[in-house]
Amino acid sequence: MDRIIDDRRTRIIVCCGSGGVGKTTAAAAIGLRAAERGRQVCVLTVDPARRLAQSMGLTSLDNTPRLIEGVDRTAGGSLYAMMLDMKRTFDEIVEAHADPVRAAQILANPFYQSLSSSFAGTQEYMAMEKLGQLRRSNEWDLIVVDTPPSRSALDFLDAPERLGRFLDGRLIRVLTSPAKATRPFTKVLNAGFSMMTGALTKLLGAQVLRDAQTFVTALDTMFGGFRERAEATYRLLQAPGTSFLVVAAPEPDALREASYFVERLDEERMPLAGLVLNRVHRSPGTRLSAARSLAAAETLDTIQNDAVAPAEANGWTVAAAALRLHAAHMSLSERERRVAGAFTSAHPAVPTLEVPALPADVHDLAGLRSIGAAMGPPLEGGGSGTAGVA
């Protein structure tokens, strides 16, 4: 991981994966480690969970990047974090591409308010839009993106095509046709348009149709750069300065999802850096297998039953319990190795980085440093940047 974040040509890291695998924590840990190694970092989360804010000591995140306090800035880096606000991002586009009066009219338009809050695909497009904004601002030399916790995490790759289908849709063409029509065809078009709007008025209502026409007219004149910006961001994701990381846990369902992400990224020709296998239970350096541990525990149970002194019996009980815990840990570790081995066999060219399971949930910067340290060699020089795995 350090080779990726230390490479100044790396400008975007996208973390994707299924839910419940620690993807948000991994993204925050990568951002923190990069900042403490001298990068100017912004972590953008599209995940609605609040864990990222909590782990960074913030009460909440919003659509504005917030400086994270407590980061070791000895190397000259800094860390900011934000959570995508879909509607606010849409509003910012309106305010940036229209004069104040026109912007106020659009923002108050009921059709716009519905579209900006709930239209299918809007979140994915706005994620592309916000990523493009952050990249174009050049305020940060590394942006870490934490995507939604499901297969929809890669839906933003389809955002330009979806937007194109929407803008080129039949209803949009009908609603914008009167404004685009040339004079010789105006009468004919208006006659056809009157028939269409009459039907739509009965179906939707006159006010809804007027709101839609007002918004679509503004869309046609003001939002012409939507598709171009989305396509530019898509090309940016394919560029050498971007690295995709698939985050998974050593579990069958999570690794099946990881396989889907790997295959989809390959289809889209996105630069995949590798798989982060999170929460791995490593077997201790011992030759005592699970089977031998259980056999020893059963022997101790027999000795305990034959013991005369209560204190002696309690000692055998504790020892037997410890052996059973060891056997369970060894069995879990072996099962995880088999599951991970199946993924590796199916995708031998994908580098894999294992992050060991910690004894407690990560809820602060110290915990994030532990995760970051597990992804690469400990930082030199001591201080808050030096971390070990608990």
Side-chain angles (χ1 to χ4, degrees):
M1 186 62 67
D2 288 351
R3 286 197 297 271
I4 296 174
I5 62 180
D6 289 345
D7 186 349
R8 295 288 171 160
R9 294 171 297 181
T10 301
R11 303 297 301 274
I12 298 173
I13 296 176
V14 182
C15 297
C16 52
S18 58
V21 298
K23 177 173 52 62
T24 299
T25 302
I30 291 169
L32 175 61
R33 188 166 180 87
E36 294 189 333
R37 294 179 72 87
R39 302 295 298 270
Q40 310 300 322
V41 185
C42 180
V43 177
L44 164 64
T45 180
V46 186
D47 187 342
R50 302 291 173 177
R51 289 184 59 196
L52 178 64
Q54 295 169 355
S55 65
M56 292 184 169
L58 298 175
T59 56
S60 64
L61 291 176
D62 54 27
N63 213 45
T64 302
R66 303 293 180 186
L67 178 65
I68 306 301
E69 302 293 343
V71 175
D72 184 353
R73 305 187 65 175
T74 304
S78 63
L79 179 62
Y80 289 75
M82 63 170 293
M83 180 178 291
L84 177 71
D85 183 327
M86 179 178 68
K87 187 177 187 310
R88 183 57 208 152
T89 301
F90 215 144
D91 293 348
E92 289 173 356
I93 298 172
V94 173
E95 293 164 352
H97 294 84
D99 60 77
V101 175
R102 189 177 185 84
Q105 293 173 344
I106 295 172
L107 296 177
N109 185 291
F111 190 82
Y112 166 79
Q113 292 174 355
S114 176
L115 177 71
S116 61
S117 300
S118 58
F119 184 71
T122 304
Q123 183 185 50
E124 289 77 21
Y125 176 78
M126 289 304 145
M128 293 277 281
E129 182 74 30
K130 179 55 68 174
L131 175 58
Q133 289 178 8
L134 294 174
R135 181 65 181 84
R136 288 190 296 270
S137 72
N138 280 323
E139 292 184 46
W140 301 276
D141 59 25
L142 179 62
I143 302 167
V144 181
V145 183
D146 169 37
T147 56
S150 67
R151 288 193 175 191
S152 65
L154 292 181
D155 283 352
F156 67 88
L157 299 179
D158 297 325
E161 183 180 354
R162 287 186 180 187
L163 186 69
R165 288 199 301 266
F166 172 70
L167 294 177
D168 296 333
R170 183 175 299 176
L171 178 61
I172 297 298
R173 292 201 304 270
V174 168
L175 292 177
T176 56
S177 290
K180 293 181 178 179
T182 55
R183 185 162 298 178
F185 300 100
T186 300
K187 291 183 179 180
V188 176
L189 185 59
N190 283 342
F193 184 72
S194 296
M195 295 176 61
M196 174 65 77
T197 53
L200 290 174
T201 299
K202 292 180 181 179
L203 180 65
L204 302 175
Q207 185 59 49
V208 172
L209 184 60
R210 281 195 296 271
D211 291 338
Q213 288 174 319
T214 301
F215 171 73
V216 169
T217 301
L219 181 79
D220 184 59
T221 57
M222 187 190 70
F223 287 60
F226 258 34
R227 185 163 26 195
E228 290 77 5
R229 289 194 302 275
E231 290 172 349
T233 304
Y234 184 87
R235 290 192 298 271
L236 185 66
L237 292 174
Q238 290 179 314
T242 299
S243 292
F244 278 82
L245 293 171
V246 177
V247 183
E251 302 166 359
D253 290 344
L255 284 170
R256 274 194 294 271
E257 290 290 292
S259 293
Y260 164 78
F261 285 117
V262 167
E263 292 162 5
R264 175 70 194 280
L265 290 169
D266 182 62
E267 291 175 5
E268 301 286 342
R269 299 189 179 186
M270 296 292 172
L272 174 64
L275 172 76
V276 176
L277 194 59
N278 195 28
R279 300 173 185 162
V280 176
H281 294 85
R282 292 173 175 168
S283 57
T286 176
R287 295 182 180 179
L288 187 60
S289 66
R292 292 178 63 189
S293 294
L294 290 175
E298 292 175 1
T299 301
L300 290 177
D301 288 339
T302 302
I303 296 175
Q304 172 205 354
N305 294 332
D306 295 338
V308 177
E312 182 182 0
N314 289 338
W316 296 128
T317 301
V318 172
L323 284 166
R324 287 192 173 90
L325 284 174
H326 175 76
H329 186 91
M330 293 291 288
S331 297
L332 176 60
S333 177
E334 179 59 31
R335 184 167 63 250
E336 290 179 350
R337 279 199 301 271
R338 288 197 302 270
V339 172
F343 176 89
T344 302
S345 298
H347 306 282
V350 178
T352 300
L353 172 65
E354 292 188 358
V355 179
L358 297 181
D361 288 338
V362 174
H363 58 273
D364 55 18
L365 291 182
L368 292 178
R369 287 193 186 96
S370 295
I371 297 294
M375 294 181 177
L379 300 177
E380 298 178 359
S384 62
T386 301
V389 180

